[in-house]
Amino acid sequence: MIAFDIRFYDSLGSTQDEARRLAQAGARHGTVVTALEQTAGRGRLGRYWASPAGNVYLSVVLRLELPRVVELGFVAALAVADTVDAYLPGRATLKWPNDVLVDGGKISGILIEHVDAAAIIGIGLNVLHVPERTPYPVTSLGALHAAAEVDAARELLLDALARRLDAWRSEGFARVRADWLRRAHPSGTRLHVTSPDRDIEGHFVGLADDGALLLDAAGGVRRLLVGDVSVRVG
Ligand code: BTN
């Protein structure tokens, strides 16, 4: 099991940047950077990630021998769902690629970046604070009446991540994929995908072996590797 080396900070621009700096300086596999607040938190697709004190913000340096780092996002999403389960059993659902939702509100964000041979996995988990003016519905453990606090949630999240990384290493992506699909939008769900070059609508068919979203759209089944997904009702 991975042993984390945790570096605590009161405030950082972004835990991703500090983790990147440490990785470039040779930080070992399992180095964790966590801050009580971030002043320049980053989200996927160049978005801002609001990061006042009250939520979990952490970045983990991973030096993986596994070639398919894209799989890591699914591993992390499952670890977040496990963490949410500790407070709100069975309530977390997963949305491609790495979103964790409760009652349709996004409760966590996952960002994967690379520096040299290391992967930096950044996770934000809304514990007490619900971000405002987001382009999608959001929630937090506190808003859902879970008696959660930041230090305990961070500890649970890192424990869950260690267990999920271990299962991924020993059992491979097939196990991750199966666990992810069990908690994701069911097959046939109508999805709208906004990707950098186009928007596409279709029905969810599954997850490819490499983590690509399989969408049954006009013209047949498409494989999508990048995008933002919203679930359409009806
Ligand atoms: C998303 O857009 O859904 C991903 C958000 C990722 C936020 C986390 S918080 C910890 C780490 N530091 C950052 O600046 N971003 C990630």
Side-chain angles (χ1 to χ4, degrees):
M1 193 90 88
I2 190 168
F4 291 120
D5 169 13
I6 308 175
R7 319 279 175 99
F8 291 93
Y9 299 78
D10 287 336
S11 181
L12 283 174
S14 162
T15 57
Q16 288 294 104
D17 293 340
E18 181 62 6
R20 172 180 288 268
R21 194 186 65 74
L22 292 172
Q24 279 168 330
R28 74 159 171 84
H29 178 65
T31 301
V32 177
V33 173
T34 183
L36 296 179
E37 64 161 19
Q38 301 183 114
T39 53
R42 291 204 302 276
R44 287 177 62 240
L45 309 173
R47 292 201 192 103
Y48 171 68
W49 187 258
S51 309
N55 293 338
V56 171
Y57 311 108
L58 60 83
S59 299
V60 187
V61 177
L62 295 174
R63 299 190 180 276
L64 300 164
E65 281 150 34
L66 294 163
R68 293 158 74 174
V69 175
V70 68
E71 298 172 2
L72 191 52
F74 299 93
V75 175
L78 285 166
V80 172
D82 294 342
T83 308
V84 174
D85 273 348
Y87 297 101
L88 302 164
R91 299 270 298 277
T93 58
L94 303 176
K95 180 166 74 67
W96 189 88
N98 307 147
D99 282 344
V100 183
L101 311 176
V102 182
D103 294 350
K106 177 161 159 147
I107 200 163
S108 165
I110 294 168
L111 179 67
I112 299 176
E113 297 178 328
H114 303 273
V115 52
D116 304 332
I120 314 281
I121 175 148
I123 307 178
L125 173 62
N126 299 339
V127 179
L128 301 176
H129 173 78
V130 181
E132 288 164 8
R133 291 187 292 280
T134 54
Y136 40 74
V138 281
T139 192
S140 71
L141 290 169
L144 294 159
H145 309 295
E149 54 90 31
V150 175
D151 289 344
R154 184 193 306 109
E155 209 166 303
L156 285 168
L157 177 56
L158 287 171
D159 284 353
L161 187 61
R163 278 196 307 275
R164 288 286 176 179
L165 284 168
D166 211 45
W168 179 38
R169 193 170 46 86
S170 56
E171 295 172 56
F173 187 59
R175 155 83 191 274
V176 175
R177 186 173 168 277
D179 286 354
W180 189 90
L181 283 167
R182 246 193 301 281
R183 300 197 81 142
H185 24 70
S187 183
T189 303
R190 195 148 67 91
L191 301 179
H192 181 95
V193 185
T194 308
S195 64
D197 53 334
R198 63 192 167 150
D199 278 20
I200 176 166
E201 197 148 324
H203 292 94
F204 178 60
V205 188
L207 199 61
D209 287 349
D210 60 355
L213 176 73
L214 298 176
L215 200 67
D216 188 4
V221 174
R222 308 272 185 88
R223 280 171 44 86
L224 298 169
L225 284 163
V226 187
D228 249 358
V229 169
S230 33
V231 174
R232 294 290 151 104
V233 182

